[in-house]
């Protein structure tokens, strides 16, 4: 490299660059703007009034109130100046913003307060462990505790004078730029707390394990809880028990032969959240994946979704999952609208009865926003038929549809396994075959110049049927500057004995779809230019050559939640 190209490269890294999963636009981090024309702001998904948000942090329920902290840039619509913003809620749907809870104030976090989690210590005392960026730009772990435990809003947090409590040193050989995002801690029968910190050693992703008796003095365990070769860094790890049978959630410290454990990681290399189901070997303090799995395959969400975190809701005895959905628009567009990033509707999460995967469903409280129900009678949806769903606000809706598929002989043969996302891209909603595509067209403009399609296709492979769920954004907008990736996954549904269901939450620029009663989830961001406000329409469609039956179809307009 010549001197001038080194200089140009350095300049490029100063202006742009990349930190964790985030692009760094240093010159834009404190630029505030925001136009008044806002067709893409969501009405019932969580987002602050303006600026950038990313990961949900430290969710918990305290004295009957839900607390959500999140990574936030108070000064602009791109990642930077990161603090822990804070909102509270009685129902996980309506939120009241409070002042930021944690912001740079001591050497151990002076360059940023990154992601982390909350643990409830004995006596119902919340404690936050979070990643701070120190003056040497090293990633270290810090503790903060509420100033006043009698304040249900937990407005003020006091940082430990002993921070940082966990730090890279020459002795422990921890990679100082890959050491972040502590989990909720769990308490072992030996009275010691355990916590995980995401990291990597070369390309091996790992969850470094620490133990502590007092939550202040932490000792690194000899071995990580788990690691996988080639995955790259594990961001935002999450580790929690699930009942082997049943939908109730469990406190993070529960162990026993009636539970399995879930290890979830956010893979920066792939930009997706993956999980494994397995068991927690208490004697070895190790996670043992079921069936000897060596790598992460399952995902929470097969669309745009990252840096998720769960918490145990001790009120309703359920485990709740929160996740960040980035924009699919250009940075220039984000700055123009003055904001970037939303969170998904909180989802209840449990182990499917097969034990092979998790199931997710929007928290029941979101149904309080449903208005003007529209119920269509069961009917046959003929090959090539488009059925408009009238009477709901098409940009702000909740639609549940269920199909019965009889002529399984008509299913297209799939000779060999193909990546479902590639299959969805190749066989978009316009490609007709035997069984499918059938599903929903949302954000559809008159004349279908714009639409987003969420649909199923049924294949035959050997003696089995394969159900594909796709979310196709390729025609979602006339503005082609957006990320228009088509998403897809297979759904484990037994079509001989089960109906095929799809629920889609539609909210101005987000399409959150749950297939097979929550066994497959895909979230997409879309920015129609024609199908906005009252110009948008919703349809059920069948573009296959074979008829399918709609066994039920209910749709609701969704009221606006009180969020900002
Ligand atoms: N976001 C945080 C990091 C985390 C990343 C920084 C994941 O702590 O690893 O904003 O999106």
């Amino acid at each position: 490299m010549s001197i001038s190209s080194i200089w140009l490269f350095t300049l490029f890294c100063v202006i742009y660059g990349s930190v964790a999963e985030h692009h760094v636009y240093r010159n834009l981090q404190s630029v505030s703007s925001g136009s008044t024309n806002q067709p893409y702001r969501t009405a019932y998904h969580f987002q602050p009034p303006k600026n950038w948000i990313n990961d949900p942090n430290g969710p918990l329920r305290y004295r009957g109130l839900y607390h959500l902290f999140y990574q936030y840039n108070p000064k602009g619509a791109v990642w930077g100046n990161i603090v822990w913003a804070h909102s509270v809620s009685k129902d996980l749907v309506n939120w009241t913003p409070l002042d930021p809870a944690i912001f740079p104030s001591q050497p151990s976090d002076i360059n940023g307060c990154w992601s982390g989690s909350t643990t409830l210590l004995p006596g119902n005392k919340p404690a936050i462990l979070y990643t701070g960026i120190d003056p040497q730009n090293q990633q270290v772990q810090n503790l903060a505790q509420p100033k006043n435990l009698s304040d249900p809003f937990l407005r003020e947090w006091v940082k430990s004078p002993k921070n940082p409590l966990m730090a890279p040193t020459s002795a422990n050989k921890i990679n100082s730029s890959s050491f972040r995002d502590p989990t909720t801690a769990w308490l072992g029968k030996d009275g010691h707390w355990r916590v995980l910190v995401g990291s990597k050693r070369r390309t091996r992703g790992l969850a470094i394990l620490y133990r502590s008796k007092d939550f202040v003095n932490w000792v690194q365990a000899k071995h990580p809880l788990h690691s996988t070769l080639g995955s790259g860094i594990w961001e935002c790890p999450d580790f929690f028990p699930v009942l082997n049978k049943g939908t109730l959630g469990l406190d993070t410290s529960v162990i026993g032969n009636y539970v399995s454990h879930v290890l979830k990681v956010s893979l920066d290399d792939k930009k997706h959240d993956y999980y494994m189901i397995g068991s927690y070997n208490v004697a070895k303090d190790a996670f043992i994946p079921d069936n000897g799995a060596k790598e992460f395959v399952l995902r929470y969400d097969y669309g745009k979704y990252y840096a998720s975190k769960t918490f145990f809701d001790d009120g309703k005895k359920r485990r709740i999952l929160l996740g960040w959905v980035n924009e699919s628009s250009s940075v220039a567009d984000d700055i123009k609208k003055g904001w970037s990033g939303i969170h998904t509707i909180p989802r209840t999460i449990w182990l499917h009865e097969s034990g092979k995967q998790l199931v997710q469903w929007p928290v029941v409280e979101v149904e309080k926003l449903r208005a003007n129900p529209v119920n269509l009678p069961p009917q046959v949806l003929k090959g090539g038929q488009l059925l408009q769903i009238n009477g709901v606000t098409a940009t702000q809706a909740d639609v549940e549809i269920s199909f019965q598929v009889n002529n399984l002989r008509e299913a297209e043969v799939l000779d060999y396994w193909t990546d479902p996302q590639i299959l969805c891209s190749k066989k978009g909603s316009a490609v007709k075959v035997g069984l499918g595509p059938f599903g929903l067209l949302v954000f559809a403009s008159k004349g279908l110049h714009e639409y987003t399609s969420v649909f199923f296709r049924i294949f035959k492979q050997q003696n089995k049927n394969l159900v594909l769920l796709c979310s196709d954004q390729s025609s979602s907008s006339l503005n082609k500057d957006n990320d228009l990736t088509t998403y897809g996954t297979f759904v484990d549904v037994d079509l001989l004995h089960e109906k095929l269901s799809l629920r889609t939450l539609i909210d101005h620029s987000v399409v959150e779809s749950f297939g097979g009663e929550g066994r497959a989830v895909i979230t997409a961001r879309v920015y129609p230019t024609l199908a906005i406000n009252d110009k948008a329409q919703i349809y059920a469609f069948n573009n296959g050559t074979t008829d399918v039956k709609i066994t039920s179809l209910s749709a609701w307009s969704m009221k606006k939640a009180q969020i900002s």
Side-chain angles (χ1 to χ4, degrees), residues 66-93:
Y66 295 103
H67 290 254
L68 169 63
F69 307 91
Y70 55 95
Q71 297 276 284
Y72 178 61
N73 178 356
K75 296 185 183 159
V78 300
W79 184 88
N81 310 306
I82 292 295
V83 301
W84 275 46
H86 185 189
S87 287
V88 289
S89 169
K90 283 188 187 148
D91 57 9
L92 294 165
V93 172

Side-chain angles (χ1 to χ4, degrees), residues 20-22 54-55 71 79 114-115 180-181 235 306-307 324:
E21 124 94 5
H22 316 293
N54 54 290
D55 321 353
Q71 297 276 284
W79 184 88
W114 289 12
S115 288
R180 53 182 178 269
D181 311 335
E235 295 189 312
Y306 200 68
W324 164 47

